[in-house]
Amino acid sequence: AKLREQMGLRAAPPVAPAPAAPISAGAGVSRVLDEDRLRGYQRLGMLDELLGDYLPDIARLVQRLGKGAAAQDLQATMDARPSLVGMAGEAGALALHQEARRTYLWMIEGRRWPQEEGWLARIESLAAVADQALREYGAGQLQKGQNQH
């Protein structure tokens, strides 16, 4: 929240729902991460704060989704979803943001579970891929900074 206030950011801009497509760690940073957003955080000296604050929160939100789905608690699952969509978007986790938004729209419009098999596993997988990619991006930026000194 502090990071969003300092940057004057609101929720990530809407992205048109995209068809589900599996994304692996080797899929390339450009499909997994929003590098323009991350470079903006880097220029402001806030990339470390972003990673430290958002990655644990995203992991907790994905766990909440899993718990809600396991309990067949549609409302609890829907309650966690907009926070996940917003945090993933602001953190630059593009693929996770798009998938969470796509399935959330389905749930909010139909007030029912997504019909697609494996929707939760896909979100969990994208969250893990985003976590790894964001950490690697952060480490790479740290390495670049150290090499410039």
Side-chain angles (χ1 to χ4, degrees), residues 58-143:
I58 288 171
R60 279 190 291 275
L61 288 166
V62 171
Q63 286 179 338
R64 280 181 52 197
L65 286 179
K67 288 178 182 177
Q72 291 294 300
D73 186 342
L74 181 63
Q75 190 60 50
T77 304
M78 286 178 30
D79 289 347
R81 193 62 63 98
S83 295
L84 177 60
V85 170
M87 284 202 151
E90 285 198 27
L94 180 63
L96 175 60
H97 167 76
Q98 289 175 336
E99 182 65 15
R101 183 177 187 278
R102 189 181 68 78
T103 56
Y104 177 63
L105 289 175
W106 172 267
M107 293 173 77
I108 202 79
E109 289 171 1
R111 303 268 325 141
R112 62 179 182 244
W113 296 102
Q115 291 180 328
E116 296 174 29
E117 292 283 328
W119 65 269
L120 179 59
R122 198 167 34 259
I123 287 175
E124 290 169 337
S125 175
L126 287 170
V129 169
D131 185 90
Q132 178 183 346
L134 285 164
R135 289 180 193 282
E136 289 174 2
Y137 183 91
Q141 295 306 306
L142 180 62
Q143 183 71 28

Side-chain angles (χ1 to χ4, degrees), residues 36-57:
D36 289 337
R37 183 173 290 272
L38 294 170
R39 280 191 290 271
Y41 286 121
Q42 180 66 31
R43 279 191 301 275
L44 294 169
M46 300 178 86
L47 187 61
D48 289 339
E49 182 180 343
L50 169 85
L51 297 176
D53 290 348
Y54 279 52
L55 291 179
D57 286 342

Side-chain angles (χ1 to χ4, degrees), residues 24-35 38 92 94-95 133 136-137:
S24 65
V29 172
S30 64
R31 289 195 56 212
V32 175
L33 301 180
D34 179 346
E35 291 184 88
L38 294 170
L94 180 63
E136 289 174 2
Y137 183 91

